[in-house]
Amino acid sequence: MSPFYYKTAFETLQELRKSGERNPELVVTLGGKIIYEGYTGKLGDEVWSVYEQVFIAALDYRNDALAETCLERLEKKFPKSPRVKILTGMKLEAEDKLDEALELYDEILKNDDSNIATIKRRIAVFKAKGQDQRAIEALTHYLDAFYNDAETWLELSSLYLNYHLYQQAGFCLEELILLQPQNHLYHLKYAEILYTNDNITNINLALKEFCRVLELCEDHVRALYGVKLCTSRLLNLSSSSSIDFKTISDLNSLASERLSKVYSLYSKNKVGNSNNELRQIIHDWLNESDKSY
Amino acid sequence: MTVIVSLGKFLGWIGFLTLFHSAYSTYEHLSYLKAVEKIPNEMPIEITVECLISIVIFAISIIMVAGPLKPILMKDEMTKKTIDKVDIRPNFNTFNHRCRSMRSLVN
């Protein structure tokens, strides 16, 4: 039997906790090994965060035994903690007992009005029940008080996008850009929402935002495609001479040039026929779109 | 890499010893002056030079021990992020996905 590199396991779990990404299979495999083969002693104080993380992953992966074990140990150590109550609530959510979970969260909120984690779980329960209207109301109520919570603005914008309310989703993205102006990905999302919400002012603004993404992150391929789409849409849409024709077609050719550069660099690093095909397709498309102007 | 680090640590110890030696020499010189009842307003140049040399040795040893520089610009960090990493909202995860039904099939 190969040795279990528990140190690497601890580090991997810590990385996953930091980034917050959802990878239940990996966490359950590592966590199960750590808990059932008794490596928890080597963790020290970190063990409680690991229990919480493995519990949530076990709920995701439907490994009920592992979830029970983690919850028991957490309850033994922290008997009256609201955080552990929230974990119990999550277990009820996973077992599809959504109303009971909602009651539990309301009880916690009665004692402590501004327990942020509970407010967020309530919103998740509304989402799970399909009551998106209530979820949106609760989100806006929460964001009135705590407007600098990037994750919640993202959640609200994704809920609006489910209902194609592009203007409201754009507003959420604007708030996000105010919070983290140097994050090029928020500009990218905003630009794509604007482009989908199709009218002349929005396409102009979307073009500016795509250029901003390129300014923040050089040669971002998705933004280069965005510039090409926006410029071709503007050149198609404007019947009058209300736009600066030269600038826009220059931007279009610049984007094509950067795209061909990026793809030729990319296929230089890899070998194989499929990449040559890809390069050929891209070249043909770029040439076609350049020819129309 | 670890050769440089251990050499740096060794130099650090030498620097510390040099500094300690110059400090102790100052103390001894001052007590000598007090014993001879001269006014302590002049320090022999060797002690000053030894103190300055210890600073230089410390500087070299710290540069050796510190290791490679890490990138500090936000721009470099952000270019590595993909849009999938931005859309993570762990506090709002729901559990009513298909894994709930599929696990019973696997188990």
Side-chain angles (χ1 to χ4, degrees), chain A residues 178-190:
Chain A
L178 278 175
L179 287 173
Q180 291 181 23
Q182 77 283 18
N183 189 342
H184 62 102
L185 294 165
Y186 292 155
H187 289 279
L188 188 62
K189 280 176 87 86
Y190 185 44

PDB file of all heavy atoms in Angstrom, chain A residues 178-190:
ATOM      1  N   LEU A 178     -17.214  48.748  -9.120  1.00  0.00           N
ATOM      2  CA  LEU A 178     -16.858  49.770  -8.135  1.00  0.00           C
ATOM      3  C   LEU A 178     -16.061  49.173  -6.989  1.00  0.00           C
ATOM      4  O   LEU A 178     -15.143  49.800  -6.468  1.00  0.00           O
ATOM      5  CB  LEU A 178     -18.126  50.415  -7.572  1.00  0.00           C
ATOM      6  CG  LEU A 178     -18.758  51.516  -8.394  1.00  0.00           C
ATOM      7  CD1 LEU A 178     -20.048  51.940  -7.736  1.00  0.00           C
ATOM      8  CD2 LEU A 178     -17.819  52.694  -8.497  1.00  0.00           C
ATOM      9  N   LEU A 179     -16.408  47.939  -6.597  1.00  0.00           N
ATOM     10  CA  LEU A 179     -15.726  47.319  -5.473  1.00  0.00           C
ATOM     11  C   LEU A 179     -14.323  46.880  -5.844  1.00  0.00           C
ATOM     12  O   LEU A 179     -13.398  47.043  -5.069  1.00  0.00           O
ATOM     13  CB  LEU A 179     -16.509  46.092  -4.999  1.00  0.00           C
ATOM     14  CG  LEU A 179     -17.797  46.371  -4.262  1.00  0.00           C
ATOM     15  CD1 LEU A 179     -18.525  45.068  -4.024  1.00  0.00           C
ATOM     16  CD2 LEU A 179     -17.501  47.017  -2.937  1.00  0.00           C
ATOM     17  N   GLN A 180     -14.171  46.271  -7.032  1.00  0.00           N
ATOM     18  CA  GLN A 180     -12.857  45.743  -7.419  1.00  0.00           C
ATOM     19  C   GLN A 180     -12.555  46.175  -8.832  1.00  0.00           C
ATOM     20  O   GLN A 180     -12.686  45.377  -9.775  1.00  0.00           O
ATOM     21  CB  GLN A 180     -12.855  44.211  -7.368  1.00  0.00           C
ATOM     22  CG  GLN A 180     -12.943  43.666  -5.969  1.00  0.00           C
ATOM     23  CD  GLN A 180     -12.906  42.154  -5.987  1.00  0.00           C
ATOM     24  OE1 GLN A 180     -12.402  41.540  -6.930  1.00  0.00           O
ATOM     25  NE2 GLN A 180     -13.455  41.557  -4.960  1.00  0.00           N
ATOM     26  N   PRO A 181     -12.137  47.444  -9.031  1.00  0.00           N
ATOM     27  CA  PRO A 181     -11.977  47.926 -10.404  1.00  0.00           C
ATOM     28  C   PRO A 181     -10.825  47.286 -11.158  1.00  0.00           C
ATOM     29  O   PRO A 181     -10.794  47.343 -12.378  1.00  0.00           O
ATOM     30  CB  PRO A 181     -11.755  49.430 -10.224  1.00  0.00           C
ATOM     31  CG  PRO A 181     -11.314  49.591  -8.834  1.00  0.00           C
ATOM     32  CD  PRO A 181     -11.915  48.509  -8.033  1.00  0.00           C
ATOM     33  N   GLN A 182      -9.892  46.634 -10.426  1.00  0.00           N
ATOM     34  CA  GLN A 182      -8.742  46.102 -11.139  1.00  0.00           C
ATOM     35  C   GLN A 182      -8.964  44.662 -11.578  1.00  0.00           C
ATOM     36  O   GLN A 182      -8.093  44.063 -12.194  1.00  0.00           O
ATOM     37  CB  GLN A 182      -7.485  46.203 -10.270  1.00  0.00           C
ATOM     38  CG  GLN A 182      -7.383  45.143  -9.183  1.00  0.00           C
ATOM     39  CD  GLN A 182      -8.277  45.423  -7.999  1.00  0.00           C
ATOM     40  OE1 GLN A 182      -9.204  46.205  -8.088  1.00  0.00           O
ATOM     41  NE2 GLN A 182      -7.994  44.804  -6.879  1.00  0.00           N
ATOM     42  N   ASN A 183     -10.133  44.110 -11.258  1.00  0.00           N
ATOM     43  CA  ASN A 183     -10.420  42.721 -11.630  1.00  0.00           C
ATOM     44  C   ASN A 183     -10.983  42.700 -13.044  1.00  0.00           C
ATOM     45  O   ASN A 183     -12.130  43.094 -13.269  1.00  0.00           O
ATOM     46  CB  ASN A 183     -11.435  42.154 -10.626  1.00  0.00           C
ATOM     47  CG  ASN A 183     -11.635  40.664 -10.801  1.00  0.00           C
ATOM     48  OD1 ASN A 183     -11.305  40.118 -11.838  1.00  0.00           O
ATOM     49  ND2 ASN A 183     -12.152  40.030  -9.785  1.00  0.00           N
ATOM     50  N   HIS A 184     -10.194  42.225 -14.014  1.00  0.00           N
ATOM     51  CA  HIS A 184     -10.627  42.332 -15.408  1.00  0.00           C
ATOM     52  C   HIS A 184     -11.838  41.462 -15.701  1.00  0.00           C
ATOM     53  O   HIS A 184     -12.585  41.720 -16.648  1.00  0.00           O
ATOM     54  CB  HIS A 184      -9.473  41.997 -16.346  1.00  0.00           C
ATOM     55  CG  HIS A 184      -8.962  40.600 -16.199  1.00  0.00           C
ATOM     56  ND1 HIS A 184      -9.283  39.594 -17.075  1.00  0.00           N
ATOM     57  CD2 HIS A 184      -8.147  40.043 -15.290  1.00  0.00           C
ATOM     58  CE1 HIS A 184      -8.682  38.478 -16.693  1.00  0.00           C
ATOM     59  NE2 HIS A 184      -7.990  38.718 -15.614  1.00  0.00           N
ATOM     60  N   LEU A 185     -12.050  40.434 -14.860  1.00  0.00           N
ATOM     61  CA  LEU A 185     -13.147  39.504 -15.155  1.00  0.00           C
ATOM     62  C   LEU A 185     -14.501  40.147 -14.929  1.00  0.00           C
ATOM     63  O   LEU A 185     -15.465  39.811 -15.607  1.00  0.00           O
ATOM     64  CB  LEU A 185     -12.985  38.253 -14.310  1.00  0.00           C
ATOM     65  CG  LEU A 185     -11.737  37.488 -14.732  1.00  0.00           C
ATOM     66  CD1 LEU A 185     -11.347  36.461 -13.691  1.00  0.00           C
ATOM     67  CD2 LEU A 185     -11.962  36.814 -16.050  1.00  0.00           C
ATOM     68  N   TYR A 186     -14.612  41.073 -13.954  1.00  0.00           N
ATOM     69  CA  TYR A 186     -15.884  41.774 -13.773  1.00  0.00           C
ATOM     70  C   TYR A 186     -16.176  42.656 -14.979  1.00  0.00           C
ATOM     71  O   TYR A 186     -17.313  42.745 -15.454  1.00  0.00           O
ATOM     72  CB  TYR A 186     -15.859  42.618 -12.497  1.00  0.00           C
ATOM     73  CG  TYR A 186     -15.814  41.802 -11.226  1.00  0.00           C
ATOM     74  CD1 TYR A 186     -15.281  42.340 -10.061  1.00  0.00           C
ATOM     75  CD2 TYR A 186     -16.296  40.517 -11.170  1.00  0.00           C
ATOM     76  CE1 TYR A 186     -15.227  41.617  -8.895  1.00  0.00           C
ATOM     77  CE2 TYR A 186     -16.243  39.773 -10.008  1.00  0.00           C
ATOM     78  CZ  TYR A 186     -15.712  40.325  -8.879  1.00  0.00           C
ATOM     79  OH  TYR A 186     -15.657  39.600  -7.722  1.00  0.00           O
ATOM     80  N   HIS A 187     -15.116  43.329 -15.497  1.00  0.00           N
ATOM     81  CA  HIS A 187     -15.313  44.134 -16.707  1.00  0.00           C
ATOM     82  C   HIS A 187     -15.772  43.247 -17.858  1.00  0.00           C
ATOM     83  O   HIS A 187     -16.626  43.635 -18.657  1.00  0.00           O
ATOM     84  CB  HIS A 187     -14.009  44.832 -17.095  1.00  0.00           C
ATOM     85  CG  HIS A 187     -13.631  45.941 -16.172  1.00  0.00           C
ATOM     86  ND1 HIS A 187     -14.185  47.192 -16.255  1.00  0.00           N
ATOM     87  CD2 HIS A 187     -12.752  45.995 -15.162  1.00  0.00           C
ATOM     88  CE1 HIS A 187     -13.659  47.962 -15.318  1.00  0.00           C
ATOM     89  NE2 HIS A 187     -12.799  47.261 -14.634  1.00  0.00           N
ATOM     90  N   LEU A 188     -15.201  42.031 -17.941  1.00  0.00           N
ATOM     91  CA  LEU A 188     -15.562  41.110 -19.026  1.00  0.00           C
ATOM     92  C   LEU A 188     -17.025  40.717 -18.923  1.00  0.00           C
ATOM     93  O   LEU A 188     -17.772  40.752 -19.915  1.00  0.00           O
ATOM     94  CB  LEU A 188     -14.663  39.878 -18.941  1.00  0.00           C
ATOM     95  CG  LEU A 188     -14.743  38.888 -20.080  1.00  0.00           C
ATOM     96  CD1 LEU A 188     -14.328  39.540 -21.355  1.00  0.00           C
ATOM     97  CD2 LEU A 188     -13.858  37.698 -19.796  1.00  0.00           C
ATOM     98  N   LYS A 189     -17.469  40.341 -17.720  1.00  0.00           N
ATOM     99  CA  LYS A 189     -18.868  39.960 -17.543  1.00  0.00           C
ATOM    100  C   LYS A 189     -19.785  41.121 -17.888  1.00  0.00           C
ATOM    101  O   LYS A 189     -20.808  40.946 -18.558  1.00  0.00           O
ATOM    102  CB  LYS A 189     -19.137  39.534 -16.092  1.00  0.00           C
ATOM    103  CG  LYS A 189     -18.709  38.116 -15.778  1.00  0.00           C
ATOM    104  CD  LYS A 189     -18.908  37.810 -14.319  1.00  0.00           C
ATOM    105  CE  LYS A 189     -20.293  37.322 -13.999  1.00  0.00           C
ATOM    106  NZ  LYS A 189     -20.486  35.902 -14.175  1.00  0.00           N
ATOM    107  N   TYR A 190     -19.405  42.328 -17.415  1.00  0.00           N
ATOM    108  CA  TYR A 190     -20.227  43.505 -17.668  1.00  0.00           C
ATOM    109  C   TYR A 190     -20.343  43.751 -19.163  1.00  0.00           C
ATOM    110  O   TYR A 190     -21.427  44.003 -19.691  1.00  0.00           O
ATOM    111  CB  TYR A 190     -19.606  44.710 -16.959  1.00  0.00           C
ATOM    112  CG  TYR A 190     -20.432  45.966 -17.037  1.00  0.00           C
ATOM    113  CD1 TYR A 190     -21.803  45.943 -16.836  1.00  0.00           C
ATOM    114  CD2 TYR A 190     -19.842  47.194 -17.284  1.00  0.00           C
ATOM    115  CE1 TYR A 190     -22.556  47.084 -16.896  1.00  0.00           C
ATOM    116  CE2 TYR A 190     -20.578  48.346 -17.336  1.00  0.00           C
ATOM    117  CZ  TYR A 190     -21.943  48.293 -17.148  1.00  0.00           C
ATOM    118  OH  TYR A 190     -22.674  49.437 -17.201  1.00  0.00           O
TER     119      TYR A 190
END
